[in-house]
Structures are given as C-alpha cells and as structure tokens.
Amino acid sequence: MLVTTRRLAALAFAAMAPFQIYYAQEARMYMLMALLAALSVWLLDTYLRQPVGSRAAWRTAGAWVPITAALLYTQYFAFSVVLFEALVFVATLPRCWRAWRFWAIWGGANLLVAALYLPWLSQTFQQISGWPSISEAFTLPELLRRVFLVFSFGLSWDNTATTRMVAAFVGLALAGLATGLWQTARGRGRGFWLLAGYLLMPVLVMYLLSLRKPLYNPKFLLLAAPAYALWLGLGVAGLAQVVAALVARLRAGALAPRLAGGTVALALLAVAGYGVSRSAAAYYFDPKYQRDDYRGLARLIMASEAAGDAIILNAPG
C-alpha cells in the first residue's frame, strides 16, 4: 500500500504543480531538463538495485549514458545532478569494492558521458565564468524557504500561498521526512537518501555558487521538482499508512484499513489541489504573472522595420 499510494500521490503532485505547469507552457529547455534529470536518477537507482555485472545492469548503464549526456547538454545547471550521482557512486564503493564489475560498468559509463560532453566543455566554462549576478545575496535558510514556496505554490506564491496552506505543505513535507526515517530504521532507507540528495543537491550547489555571484533563479532548480513531488507523495503515503494501521487495530474488517488509508490519501490530495488552484489561476487571469506580449512585439518590429535597422537585446545575462 505504501509504495502504490506514494507513486500515485507523487504523480498527482507533479501533474498539478503550478511551477511545472508554468514552464511546461514555455517552449524552452527547462521542463526537458526536469524530465532528463528524473530519468537519469531513476536509472542510477535501478542500477544500484540490480545484480552486479548482470545483463540488466549493463543495459541500465547503457541507457544512463545518453540520457545523462543529453541532460548536460540541455542546461548548464544540470551538472548539479550529475555531481550528486557521482557522489552516490563514490559512497557506494566501500560496500562494493570487491565487485570490480560494479566499478568497471559504472565508471566506464561516467567516462563515456564525460567524453560525449567534452566538445562543449570549454564553452561551458566560458559561459559560467561570464555569468553576472542575477539576484540579491541570500542565506541558505532563505533559499530553502523560497524553494519550498515555489515548489509548492509556483511563482505566484507571494499572492496565493495562505498561512493554512503553507502549514499543510509543511506538514506533508515533515510527514515525508518521518516516513523516510522510519524506512531507514527498518533497513530500507537507501531510496529515501537517494531522494533527499536528488532534491537538495541542486539547492546546495546554487547556494555555494552564489557565495561568489548571487544567481537565484527558481527555473534552474526545476530539475529537482520531480524529487519534491516524490517527497510529498511519501508524506501522503506515510500518513495514509498510519491511519490504516490505527483502523486495523480496531479489528473493523480486512478491507477497512485500506479504505481508511485511501480516503486519507485522497483527502490530502484534495486539500493540496485546492491550495495550489489559486496559483494556477493566477497564471491565467492575473496580468502580474502573464508573459510579455512577444507576438505583439514581433508584429511591431515587422510593421516598422526598415533597411539597415538593427535590434539590440538588453537583457540581464
């Protein structure tokens, strides 16, 4: 029940997340980055669960290479996820140091990704070193607060996130933490720590890079948004399981615990959906959050252009 409820709840959170809805309607690379990051981490998790040196492990590592290389080419900040995966690999080595095939397969996969990205590496350093400061300075707690609000309520959180709904999402996040720690205590915590690193590593990298040049922009962190949906899904599943266990102790029948747990999960999703509905509505009906009229700008240029005209783009970057 825990696994099924967690997955379905995570899918629901991902589908109704205002932050992802906003960028899903933008014809740029940010949602593709989120998809490729999720696939890359999922393949890493799959590889760690497979028998060392098996055909399935070879196939998984082979699929991880092009997905991760494409992720790096999609957006510069994607390196934060690849860095996290490298740290997972290093952390796993003491347990698998005798299994040379584990080293060879995954190490070779990383070398292939590096070789595929090598042609663009010099351009990457040039671009990153030339980035200006794009935000005011911030502390790590302030960054965590902003990320939580944006991931929960989207870019319009400042006008749509009520105190009660913030408290509800904090409760779900804490329930996800408690459920993950409970799984760890029962010897099934590897997936939870992988999820925690996937969610927090990009945030930590943004903070460390910003010590030199502040560069807070939430769209760079979209690649961690699937992890946040999984985290909230874990919280919903944990609360549903607690209620099911309490009902089971009442001896109300074999079906009653499942019905009670499912009802709690649906109720939590309904509350969350109501909370984010205002944020989604703001994107469509509040001029403050609507896009600039680029079509109108293009029509104006086409109508007034003359031979020899030049266009100067004055943007923060």
Side-chain angles (χ1 to χ4, degrees):
M1 175 181 174
L2 178 64
V3 174
T4 302
T5 305
R6 180 187 64 197
R7 290 174 178 173
L8 292 176
L11 285 171
F13 280 117
M16 65 185 179
F19 187 40
Q20 287 151 260
I21 291 173
Y22 184 85
Y23 280 102
Q25 299 178 58
E26 183 177 274
R28 299 188 72 189
M29 82 298 287
Y30 296 108
M31 285 310 299
L32 175 61
M33 175 180 65
L35 171 63
L36 293 175
L39 287 174
S40 180
V41 175
W42 174 67
L43 288 169
L44 169 62
D45 182 48
T46 302
Y47 177 79
L48 294 174
R49 296 175 187 274
Q50 290 170 337
V52 175
S54 64
R55 290 184 178 180
W58 279 97
R59 289 194 297 267
T60 302
W64 180 84
V65 170
I67 291 294
T68 306
L71 170 64
L72 287 172
Y73 273 104
T74 301
Q75 214 278 337
Y76 294 116
F77 200 72
F79 85 92
S80 61
V81 169
V82 181
L83 174 62
F84 158 68
E85 292 176 325
L87 293 177
V88 171
F89 174 66
V90 171
T92 311
L93 289 181
R95 183 171 57 85
C96 303
W97 70 274
R98 293 180 182 274
W100 65 270
R101 290 183 180 179
F102 177 88
W103 290 50
I105 296 174
W106 199 250
N110 279 270
L111 289 176
L112 281 174
V113 170
L116 289 171
Y117 192 67
L118 190 60
W120 195 248
L121 193 59
S122 61
Q123 183 69 18
T124 299
F125 285 122
Q126 181 181 348
Q127 291 287 338
I128 293 179
S129 61
W131 277 356
S133 298
I134 60 175
S135 70
E136 73 282 0
F138 51 84
T139 63
L140 182 57
E142 174 62 19
L143 177 61
L144 292 172
R145 185 186 75 88
R146 293 182 188 181
V147 171
F148 166 75
L149 290 170
V150 169
F151 277 14
S152 301
F153 303 100
L155 300 176
S156 61
W157 66 265
D158 53 339
N159 283 342
T160 58
T162 64
T163 302
R164 290 182 179 179
M165 289 312 308
V166 169
F169 273 88
V170 168
L172 285 177
L174 291 176
L177 175 62
T179 304
L181 294 177
W182 175 76
Q183 289 180 329
T184 301
R186 294 172 62 90
R188 293 181 289 135
R190 184 179 65 181
F192 170 69
W193 293 115
L194 190 70
L195 174 62
Y198 173 27
L199 174 61
L200 296 176
M201 177 59 79
V203 180
L204 179 60
V205 169
M206 175 173 284
Y207 171 72
L208 293 175
L209 291 177
S210 295
L211 293 176
R212 180 171 174 264
K213 290 182 179 180
L215 50 79
Y216 173 72
N217 193 324
K219 64 184 179 183
F220 295 157
L221 297 174
L222 260 172
L223 76 176
Y228 184 68
L230 287 167
W231 188 285
L232 294 181
L234 187 62
V236 169
L239 291 173
Q241 190 172 43
V242 168
V243 171
L246 292 175
V247 172
R249 297 188 65 177
L250 299 176
R251 299 181 180 180
L255 190 59
R258 291 184 175 272
L259 289 175
T263 301
V264 168
L266 289 174
L268 291 171
L269 291 175
V271 171
Y274 171 76
V276 301
S277 63
R278 297 178 63 209
S279 298
Y283 294 155
Y284 295 102
F285 303 111
D286 189 341
K288 177 181 176 181
Y289 302 103
Q290 292 175 1
R291 298 285 186 177
D292 293 329
D293 184 13
Y294 290 108
R295 289 189 178 92
L297 178 62
R299 287 194 296 267
L300 175 62
I301 292 174
M302 293 176 65
S304 59
E305 66 178 344
D309 283 352
I311 297 176
I312 299 176
L313 175 62
N314 182 15

